[in-house]
Amino acid sequence: MGRNHEVTTVHPLLDNNGQLTEPGWSRSLVQTYDRSMIRAPKWRIKEWDYYLVLSDSFAGAFTISDDGYIGLQSVSLLTFGDNPWEHTETVLNAFPLGKLGLPSSSESGITSYADKRLHMKFEVIDGKRHITCHFDNFYEGKPFDCDIYLKQPQMDSMVIATPWDEEHHFYYNQKINCMRAFGYMSFDGKKYEFNPDTDFGTLDWGRGVWTYDNTWHWGSGNVDLDGNSFGFNIGYGFGNTAAATENVLFYNGKVHKLDDITFNIPASSYMDPWTFTSSDGRFEMDFVPVLDRAACLDYKLIVSDQHQVFGRMSGTAILDDGTKIQVKDMMCFAEKVHNKY
């Protein structure tokens, strides 16, 4: 198996020993996830659905997760105007251990969470995804609401199955980009409306067993180029990527595979300009930060230091057939996260 091995046949993700059957990447969930096949303790299993819906001037992010001994449900509202602003509100749950019942596939079913303060639901219906949320006392006593649809016609996604070097540890992840967004978010008397001609949603769907201490990089963005949808997913730090990276371009519903990408983050500050470079010369970008969604948690056992930086990207990406895609001031994000949990 060479670098960037593509998995094309349908089969179980894990074998009877709880090890990955076939590490690699694929365009859809051809490997079937079955929680009961995992051989690690329940409290080490991590399952999450994360949606980011992004316009040029604002964004919403929505997470429902069951991470074994902790559940983490969160909503972020971000604005990128003259005074960029963001607020993230999180509800933590002790020891969900699978009780949230997240679906075993991203392709159907309902992911939901409800308590006295937060009601959030992700539903897959007829080529669309529906995100609804009501969050009481989201910020300064005021509620947050949203009702968003993401269009998902037949399209490639980025799926990766990577092992860690420790036994029974694996990462199974799907990124669905370029879903055109419509609907709204409302907070503090303002309505933020998404326009499907220009605005997109991305799903980060993950299931796996992680090692305790991890640092990763991830970047993603989508843009409309004269009616054509273009997006990218780049990253590293998710297990042993000898079989495949998760670096891809998306263009009009098709995936184009990239090799290695390097995030050149300035030591001076996350808010200084970055660059992205590629081993195959197919992703060369400048990135000007607008907002750093920084979050530091330290609960002793659970430590998280996140910098999700939103900004504008300009540069060149090259499709499989050599076509050059030029982007200018494309709103997107790139992050560096160090977690222990």
Side-chain angles (χ1 to χ4, degrees), residues 126-128 150-156 176-180 229 252-253:
D126 289 343
K128 288 195 279 297
L150 305 178
K151 296 179 187 173
Q152 190 189 354
Q154 282 297 112
M155 60 203 299
D156 287 349
I176 304 177
N177 281 55
C178 298
M179 293 184 285
R180 292 184 180 270
S229 63
N252 286 341

Side-chain angles (χ1 to χ4, degrees), residues 250-263:
F250 302 89
Y251 192 71
N252 286 341
K254 293 283 174 238
V255 154
H256 300 257
K257 193 75 189 69
L258 303 176
D259 204 7
D260 290 306
I261 306 287
T262 303
F263 290 47

Side-chain angles (χ1 to χ4, degrees), residues 175-188:
K175 305 288 192 337
I176 304 177
N177 281 55
C178 298
M179 293 184 285
R180 292 184 180 270
F182 60 101
Y184 70 89
M185 306 182 292
S186 62
F187 173 70
D188 193 17

Side-chain angles (χ1 to χ4, degrees), residues 167-178:
E167 199 177 29
H168 303 143
H169 288 63
F170 69 93
Y171 175 67
Y172 192 43
N173 179 245
Q174 179 180 42
K175 305 288 192 337
I176 304 177
N177 281 55
C178 298

Side-chain angles (χ1 to χ4, degrees), residues 5 7-14 20-23 29-33 172:
H5 169 68
V7 180
T8 56
T9 58
V10 176
H11 57 257
L13 177 72
L14 301 175
L20 284 178
T21 311
E22 189 178 353
L29 295 175
V30 292
Q31 305 197 68
T32 311
Y33 172 77
Y172 192 43

Side-chain angles (χ1 to χ4, degrees), residues 93-119:
N93 320 102
F95 300 103
L97 298 171
K99 290 195 287 285
L100 290 185
L102 271 65
S104 60
S105 168
S106 69
E107 290 165 9
S108 61
I110 295 174
T111 301
S112 64
Y113 175 83
D115 63 24
K116 285 179 182 167
R117 191 174 156 216
L118 169 63
H119 284 247

Side-chain angles (χ1 to χ4, degrees), residues 146-311:
C146 81
D147 190 337
I148 300 166
Y149 284 93
L150 305 178
K151 296 179 187 173
Q152 190 189 354
Q154 282 297 112
M155 60 203 299
D156 287 349
S157 62
M158 188 297 304
V159 180
I160 194 157
T162 52
W164 262 272
D165 296 332
E166 288 83 346
E167 199 177 29
H168 303 143
H169 288 63
F170 69 93
Y171 175 67
Y172 192 43
N173 179 245
Q174 179 180 42
K175 305 288 192 337
I176 304 177
N177 281 55
C178 298
M179 293 184 285
R180 292 184 180 270
F182 60 101
Y184 70 89
M185 306 182 292
S186 62
F187 173 70
D188 193 17
K190 284 192 183 139
K191 200 167 185 185
Y192 301 87
E193 295 201 55
F194 292 103
N195 175 354
D197 291 338
T198 53
D199 305 338
F200 294 90
T202 296
L203 169 62
D204 169 16
W205 181 93
R207 306 290 184 264
V209 178
W210 292 42
T211 48
Y212 173 69
D213 188 338
N214 296 287
T215 299
W216 73 77
H217 297 73
W218 177 37
S220 178
N222 307 299
V223 69
D224 181 274
L225 300 171
D226 300 323
N228 301 293
S229 63
F230 170 75
F232 68 88
N233 183 81
I234 55 177
Y236 47 92
F238 307 96
N240 180 336
T241 55
T245 73
E246 64 166 68
N247 302 320
V248 297
L249 305 173
F250 302 89
Y251 192 71
N252 286 341
K254 293 283 174 238
V255 154
H256 300 257
K257 193 75 189 69
L258 303 176
D259 204 7
D260 290 306
I261 306 287
T262 303
F263 290 47
N264 302 302
I265 305 172
S268 49
S269 166
Y270 282 95
M271 290 299 290
D272 286 339
W274 305 17
T275 63
F276 296 88
T277 51
S278 49
S279 61
D280 53 15
R282 291 176 54 193
F283 192 85
E284 302 294 322
M285 296 287 173
D286 294 308
F287 179 66
V288 180
V290 171
L291 176 66
D292 178 8
R293 195 187 70 76
C296 288
L297 302 172
D298 189 349
Y299 298 109
K300 303 303 174 235
L301 253 185
I302 298 158
V303 180
S304 181
D305 181 7
Q306 309 178 24
H307 289 271
Q308 184 182 30
V309 181
F310 289 80

Side-chain angles (χ1 to χ4, degrees), residues 302-336:
I302 298 158
V303 180
S304 181
D305 181 7
Q306 309 178 24
H307 289 271
Q308 184 182 30
V309 181
F310 289 80
R312 299 186 188 281
M313 189 176 273
S314 302
T316 306
I318 299 176
L319 304 183
D320 287 344
D321 65 3
T323 303
K324 284 189 176 180
I325 305 293
Q326 302 281 352
V327 296
K328 186 159 173 34
D329 299 331
M330 164 188 189
M331 182 54 80
C332 58
F333 80 88
E335 69 180 25
K336 181 179 179 182

